[in-house]
Amino acid sequence: MLITHDTRCALDTVVDLVNTAPEDDTTTDGLADVAALEAFVRDHEVSEVGVLTEFDLAAVRKIRARFAAVFAAPDARSAATMINELIAAAGTTPRLTDHDGYDWHVHYFAPGASVADHLAADCGMALAFFVVAGEQERLRRCEAPDCRHAFVDLSRNRSRRYCDSRTCGNRLHVAAYRARRKEAAG
């Protein structure tokens, strides 16, 4: 599956957005305030965003929950329905642009769109490409029991199970190794 630079950026953004949500009552919200939203927008180079407000923060949190549901969708039809609703509500207006030193690429958000509509349109379209390509199962949640972070499995054989093999995957492999050694010892 060919993934263009702008689609890859949108995928990274949607994954990071979903992963800002608190996993339970003991973890903090990665978008706790407008300053955190401003940092998120800056870190992900979200273009054409004006001054952000509490209204923007609330709207982004709402679409974050809707994107999280896409990663939990049981099948392509369910994912497509949710993505269609996100994209339609954002009022998509595809247009070619070549800003900030990047070659031509497509922005799906309307000029002057809110940051929530911007994210819903561009990130929604990136996820839509996976459904169209029959690759919806690549939109996953980490299989580590204490982590449910979202990720996109871009491995060749669709075998990735953890959001980060160096943390979640390695931790589980070490725990399994120790359990086997303990059992063998007796």
Side-chain angles (χ1 to χ4, degrees):
M1 176 174 185
L2 174 67
I3 300 174
T4 62
H5 175 264
D6 53 316
T7 299
R8 179 59 193 254
C9 290
L11 288 171
D12 291 343
T13 300
V14 71
V15 164
D16 290 347
L17 177 63
V18 169
N19 291 338
T20 63
E23 292 189 30
D24 55 38
D25 292 337
T26 64
T27 57
T28 59
D29 191 323
L31 295 178
D33 53 27
V34 174
L37 177 58
E38 289 169 344
F40 181 88
V41 165
R42 183 177 52 256
D43 292 346
H44 290 85
E45 299 178 356
V46 180
S47 61
E48 300 180 40
V49 174
V51 176
L52 299 173
T53 66
E54 290 289 333
F55 177 81
D56 293 309
L57 179 61
V60 169
R61 284 179 179 162
K62 284 180 185 174
I63 65 152
R64 174 180 68 184
R66 295 178 73 189
F67 277 129
V70 172
F71 279 86
D75 55 51
R77 183 164 306 282
S78 300
T81 298
M82 290 182 257
I83 292 168
N84 283 338
E85 290 170 357
L86 275 161
I87 292 169
T92 55
T93 306
R95 60 192 164 98
L96 287 166
T97 183
D98 67 343
H99 64 87
D100 298 328
Y102 293 108
D103 285 335
W104 289 106
H105 59 281
V106 179
H107 279 185
Y108 295 96
F109 60 93
S114 70
V115 68
D117 285 345
H118 177 137
L119 292 170
D122 275 2
C123 295
M125 287 302 299
L127 296 177
F129 294 140
F130 276 78
V131 174
V132 167
E135 302 285 352
Q136 181 263 335
E137 74 276 358
R138 289 182 182 267
L139 308 177
R140 298 193 175 158
R141 290 290 193 159
C142 184
E143 290 183 18
D146 58 342
C147 178
R148 296 300 296 154
H149 278 145
F151 68 93
V152 178
D153 179 4
L154 297 177
S155 67
R156 183 172 290 171
N157 63 356
R158 298 175 191 90
S159 63
R160 188 169 159 198
R161 298 174 42 205
Y162 307 109
C163 64
D164 186 344
S165 60
R166 283 178 260 150
T167 53
C168 291
N170 191 45
R171 189 169 22 99
L172 289 175
H173 289 115
V174 168
Y177 170 78
R178 288 181 179 158
R180 286 191 305 272
R181 297 253 332 207
K182 185 177 179 179
E183 185 177 309

